[in-house]
Amino acid sequence: MKTDIEIAQGAKMLKISEVAAKVGFGEDDIDMYGRYMAKINNECISRLEGKQDGKLVLVTAINPTPAGEGKTTVTLGLGDALNRIGKNTVMAIREPSLGPCFGIKGGAAGGGYAQAVPMDKLNLHFTGDFHAITSANNLMCAMLDNHMLQGNALRIDPKRVVVKRCLDMNDRTLRNITIGLGKRLDGVVREDHFCITVATEVMAILCLAENLEDLKDRLGKIVVAYNYDNEPVTAAELKCVGAMAVLLKDAIQPNLIQSLEGNPVFVHGGPFANIAHGCNSVRATKTALKVADYVITEAGFGADLGAEKFLDIKCRKAGIKPDVVVLVATARALKYNGGVAKEDLSNENVDALKKGIVNLGKHIENLKKYNVPVVVTINKFVSDTDAEVEAIKSFVEDSGCRFAVSEVWAKGGEGGEALAAQVLDAIEEGSDDFKLLYEDSLSLKEKIETISKEIYGADGVEYTAEATNALKRIESLGFGNLPVCMAKTQYSLSDDQKLLGRPTGFNVNIREVYVSAGAGFVVAIAGAIMTMPGLPKSPAAERIDVLESGEIVGLF
């Protein structure tokens, strides 16, 4: 059986100008990056204002195994399926981070015969967006440290710098470092930290900004530190916003590539859903809605993370709403949540599946709280048995949801036609008015507790003294009306990755809270989640190589 990269490398791709033409873009509307990639320019996006929006489909999932559950695969396969049956459809997904590509999870281009191509370029440097975000963030950090060395007119307290440097790579040794060692002109000695690029506020801002002017306004609001009087110091006060915007001027333009079946795929931004808000850019989603009748987008990890943040942060900020939510599950993940070891997930085990299916049930309950139709699909693996699929189907239908088996990994768009039919029926049927989980007027603690109790199923929330003090300070600064972006493990509904299934009798532990004023949300870090991941014992990087011909091998 061919690997994902072998399938992708064997694809006969259309020129990107031909793909662009499918959504009405001419050559003046795109800036080409070679034959198969392009950026949609600002003039094109402005021209689309006022056009009627298409229907928006959100793809999310249950709590995954470490290998993921195939949301991107289903997103791309569903888009291809809708196009196969004559529906003008665009897919809008996130850009992959190099961290997972060289770590354990792999890339984010889909899999099997439901992929975005060119897969290797997408998973690696692509159009340079992540490099631009990394550079802009680190320029801000360099300007801050230079300011402290050159007289510190803003009276920044070196012990209260809150912005972190970043790198788009898993490197745990950079989590906590000391900088400024050496001579006086080598800088102010202080403790510093790194996060992965996708966890930066700059990434979040790029994904939530409506245009360049909005981007600059948001960048200026970034709180980089506090001064000796406990007052926030912003990026605008460092006078670095213009230079940051210069680095980001191309990165803010959404990218256009294609699926294996030659359909348009918008790819833009890539915040992780376990440590950031986990959605592709507002610009990409809104542009897609202007040029297609149906837009299929995704939100990262389980619905407790990506979907909650899509609905409570992105929809709140962008003024959009999904017309239907597709909830992806796998027999493997349900068995994993039922206690089956990773090495045994390919073996039939209906009893374990029925034990773990409570995880699926909780996600269904959660999504229904937003008054959005839910379609459950099984991303089918070769090892899945008829008995396992039937058990899932029965459970879903008893829960009052539509159900379909997705075979897009093996069959491409053809394998998603049953799912496409259910999605169209759900959209046609309509729903009650979409509603958010909480109102802006609630206190930050009330918002954290609402998410923890309603979405995770926690009994309550416990805060460290540091987190409690941070919440008081953030509210005193006028940020109490912002939504909350929870950072926690993706493997459990709780903040403990070992509590699988549908855990009960637990509290969520909030150890740190900080404001992302430019992005427009407050981040609450729960449990042991890290904003700079580490590599596994046997990282994927050990198996990735390039041949003399330039062909890349080992990427998945």
Side-chain angles (χ1 to χ4, degrees), residues 111-148:
Y113 289 90
Q115 294 189 58
V117 287
M119 177 267 221
D120 51 355
K121 293 184 183 295
L122 172 58
N123 276 318
L124 298 174
H125 301 290
F126 199 28
T127 59
D129 292 349
F130 280 25
H131 298 305
I133 292 165
T134 301
S135 298
N137 181 87
N138 291 345
L139 170 64
M140 175 174 59
C141 294
M143 293 281 279
L144 182 149
D145 282 301
N146 182 64
H147 180 90
M148 288 194 291

Side-chain angles (χ1 to χ4, degrees), residues 117-302:
V117 287
M119 177 267 221
D120 51 355
K121 293 184 183 295
L122 172 58
N123 276 318
L124 298 174
H125 301 290
F126 199 28
T127 59
D129 292 349
F130 280 25
H131 298 305
I133 292 165
T134 301
S135 298
N137 181 87
N138 291 345
L139 170 64
M140 175 174 59
C141 294
M143 293 281 279
L144 182 149
D145 282 301
N146 182 64
H147 180 90
M148 288 194 291
L149 177 69
Q150 306 287 359
N152 200 7
L154 295 172
R155 302 179 64 249
I156 294 170
D157 183 350
K159 294 186 179 296
R160 301 205 60 204
V161 174
V162 293
V163 70
K164 298 177 180 179
R165 287 174 162 82
C166 70
L167 183 72
D168 187 33
M169 194 63 65
N170 292 0
D171 193 345
R172 61 171 58 83
T173 59
L174 293 177
R175 289 172 183 162
N176 305 291
I177 61 173
T178 301
I179 63 172
L181 298 176
K183 299 178 180 179
R184 190 190 73 82
L185 291 180
D186 292 327
V188 175
V189 178
R190 67 177 182 87
E191 182 180 346
D192 200 5
H193 312 272
F194 269 78
C195 64
I196 194 165
T197 297
V198 290
T200 62
E201 186 173 356
V202 177
M203 171 65 83
I205 286 171
L206 184 92
C207 289
L208 292 168
E210 297 278 355
N211 49 47
L212 187 60
E213 181 180 356
D214 187 29
L215 176 79
K216 292 167 70 173
D217 180 65
R218 289 171 177 272
L219 291 173
K221 293 176 181 177
I222 295 175
V223 175
V224 298
Y226 292 86
N227 65 20
Y228 289 110
D229 297 320
N230 202 29
E231 298 167 333
V233 178
T234 65
E237 293 176 283
L238 289 176
K239 301 178 182 177
C240 62
V241 172
M244 293 173 70
V246 166
L247 291 171
L248 296 168
K249 71 177 182 65
D250 294 327
I252 195 176
Q253 297 177 188
N255 305 290
L256 174 66
I257 55 173
Q258 62 190 287
S259 69
L260 284 174
E261 299 184 14
N263 295 310
V265 182
F266 291 9
V267 190
H268 199 213
F272 282 174
N274 57 348
I275 50 182
H277 73 289
C279 312
N280 75 317
S281 77
V282 168
R283 289 195 101 199
T285 302
K286 285 192 168 183
T287 302
L289 285 168
K290 296 298 183 185
V291 299
D293 295 327
Y294 299 91
V295 175
I296 318 299
T297 192
E298 63 170 350
F301 291 125

